[in-house]
Amino acid sequence: MTSTASPTDRLHGLDALRAGALLLGVVLHASLSFFPQQAWIVADDSRSIGAAVLFFAIHLFRMTAFFLIAGLFAHLMLARRGWAGFARDRLVRIAGPLAAFWLPVLAGIVTALVWNAHASGLIAPGAPPPPPPTYDWTNFPLTHLWFLWVLLLFYGATLLLRAPFAALDRGGAWGRAVDRFTGAAIGPWTPVLLAAPLALALWLDPAWIAFFAVPTPDEGLVPDTAALVGFGLAFGLGFLLDRRRDLLDRIAAWSPLFLAMAAVSGVAAWVLAGGPRLAPMAEPTLDKAVAAATVAFAVYASALAAVGLCLRFLSGRSPARRYLADASYWIYILHLPLVMLAQVWMQDWSGPWWAKLAGLSLGVFAICLVSYELLVRHSFLGRFLNGRRVPWRRSPQVAAAVPAE
């Protein structure tokens, strides 16, 4: 098996996807306050169906692509460090930030909620506060950090499932069979193969809202079945693709077709979902089955299109994209409370929704980048989040001694 990208090469195209997806994450959450109907804690005075279309297009592929990337790099790290080194690294860089930042993030979100309640007249000045909510393992508020929690579950499952195969497959026969299976699964038919189990899970989910595609497991410590299936398949595909990096070239070659598939199925999914309709499809009817199949297909076609296009057109080395990829973790953690606070602050301003959305997104992104540069990149937090701390300034002798990546 040959590949233009060996397991030791850095995949700059996936760095570009990670950087682009983080930018879109800020836009995604910022767009919620501009929906034509109340869909968020903040309902801006300027609303449009365009904000819902933008949200739907981004949400369809973004997290699925993230999980595919996460699976690929999970296999890479496991092969390099072994199971003990892999587990230790993931505990430090995934479980550690989840534990360290969950409470500050929740505090910021609660601040935005209280401020919005006062601004909207829901709480009168001097009135006693409402009783605090009660939480247990079924509704624990993971916030947007749910991604880290689900990753930890996938990492644990990976180690448990891989151990018996690694112990029994001393000769590598099973591994070669898995590689052949992966090769056969990659092609224009890949979205169909992946969509079938996800469509079944969505069809059986009585709480499924088609507009939100794969459900976001942001409440409760046990993700629902549809989320585990949808994101787990993407993670598993990425894990297998790192064993066959030559198949990334095939995905890149098929990316125009994946993009066409995503466009057609995405429009159909929007129509079948009823646009920004927020009512669940409770009953497992034929209409729900068609919607589930179409949405599931659109999810994987769009994720594969994003991966393939970035590998095809953005695989060159770019210091700017690498910087944004390094900053992505910090921006992911920090952005949501800032977005919510900005939405509360701006909700009564006059102006078109797209201008307010652009200003809000750029403002939050600027704060995140400045704080990353000043507080994270060159400090212990850089090592905590990204595994390395970049010195503030290198002397010419040190810079010359550092090999190019």
Side-chain angles (χ1 to χ4, degrees):
M1 300 174 190
T2 60
S3 173
T4 58
S6 73
T8 57
D9 292 335
R10 186 170 188 92
L11 296 171
H12 297 288
L14 297 187
D15 275 346
L17 178 58
R18 190 152 50 112
L22 77 90
L23 289 168
L24 292 175
V26 176
V27 177
L28 176 91
H29 290 116
S31 69
L32 284 164
S33 62
F34 302 101
F35 276 26
Q37 76 274 48
Q38 181 85 39
W40 191 235
I41 65 158
V42 180
D44 199 275
D45 285 348
S46 302
R47 305 190 204 179
S48 171
I49 191 69
V53 172
L54 181 63
F55 175 94
F56 184 78
I58 296 172
H59 189 65
L60 202 59
F61 78 92
R62 177 174 167 267
M63 293 311 300
T64 307
F66 261 136
F67 275 105
L68 192 152
I69 295 173
L72 188 148
F73 286 113
H75 181 272
L76 175 63
M77 183 175 297
L78 192 57
R80 285 181 176 178
R81 302 192 179 188
W83 72 266
F86 174 82
R88 183 167 54 251
D89 181 89
R90 297 296 84 184
L91 286 174
V92 171
R93 293 179 55 192
I94 303 297
L98 175 60
F101 292 109
W102 174 79
L103 188 58
V105 163
L106 184 64
I109 292 173
V110 171
T111 300
L113 290 169
V114 173
W115 183 15
N116 184 65
H118 281 285
S120 304
L122 300 177
I123 299 178
T134 58
Y135 295 113
D136 57 30
W137 64 273
T138 63
N139 66 344
F140 186 82
L142 292 168
T143 72
H144 66 299
L145 302 183
W146 66 265
F147 175 60
L148 303 182
W149 175 250
V150 175
L151 270 183
L152 291 173
L153 297 179
F154 287 166
Y155 291 145
T158 297
L159 292 176
L160 290 175
L161 293 174
R162 182 179 180 273
F165 285 99
L168 295 173
D169 192 26
R170 298 297 185 183
W174 287 8
R176 290 189 292 271
V178 168
D179 291 341
R180 288 194 293 270
F181 169 80
T182 307
I186 299 301
W189 48 86
T190 307
V192 177
L193 297 178
L194 295 172
L198 175 58
L200 178 61
L202 295 175
W203 183 64
L204 295 174
D205 185 357
W208 180 53
I209 299 174
F211 175 74
F212 291 120
V214 182
T216 300
D218 54 0
E219 289 187 356
L221 299 180
V222 179
D224 56 42
T225 302
L228 288 175
V229 171
F231 297 133
L233 286 172
F235 182 91
L237 177 63
F239 192 89
L240 296 178
L241 283 173
D242 189 59
R243 295 176 53 93
R244 290 285 311 270
R245 286 206 177 183
D246 58 300
L247 297 176
L248 296 176
D249 297 333
R250 192 185 299 179
I251 292 175
W254 284 110
S255 58
L257 179 60
F258 289 139
L259 181 61
M261 291 176 174
V264 173
S265 59
V267 171
W270 168 272
V271 173
L272 293 170
R277 182 174 178 267
L278 304 181
M281 291 183 169
E283 299 298 325
T285 61
L286 178 60
D287 288 344
K288 183 179 180 181
V290 173
T294 305
V295 169
F297 181 86
V299 164
Y300 292 117
S302 57
L304 288 169
V307 170
L309 290 171
C310 287
L311 289 172
R312 185 170 184 173
F313 297 109
L314 298 175
S315 284
R317 189 175 184 276
S318 168
R321 291 198 297 267
R322 175 64 191 275
Y323 184 93
L324 291 175
D326 288 345
S328 63
Y329 201 177
W330 175 248
I331 295 174
Y332 157 73
I333 290 171
L334 185 63
H335 81 277
L336 186 58
L338 296 179
V339 165
M340 296 175 72
L341 291 167
Q343 287 171 327
V344 177
W345 182 42
M346 296 176 62
Q347 62 183 319
D348 297 326
W349 293 10
S350 60
W353 72 272
W354 53 267
K356 297 174 73 173
L357 174 61
L360 192 159
S361 302
L362 290 173
V364 168
F365 190 63
I367 293 172
C368 290
L369 274 184
V370 170
S371 62
Y372 170 73
E373 178 65 27
L374 297 179
L375 302 176
V376 178
R377 185 172 176 82
H378 310 289
S379 74
F380 73 95
L381 287 174
R383 185 175 298 278
F384 183 44
L385 296 178
N386 296 331
R388 67 190 182 107
R389 181 182 68 85
V390 178
W392 276 104
R393 182 177 295 176
R394 291 172 175 167
S395 66
Q397 293 81 7
V398 173
V402 175
E405 295 185 20

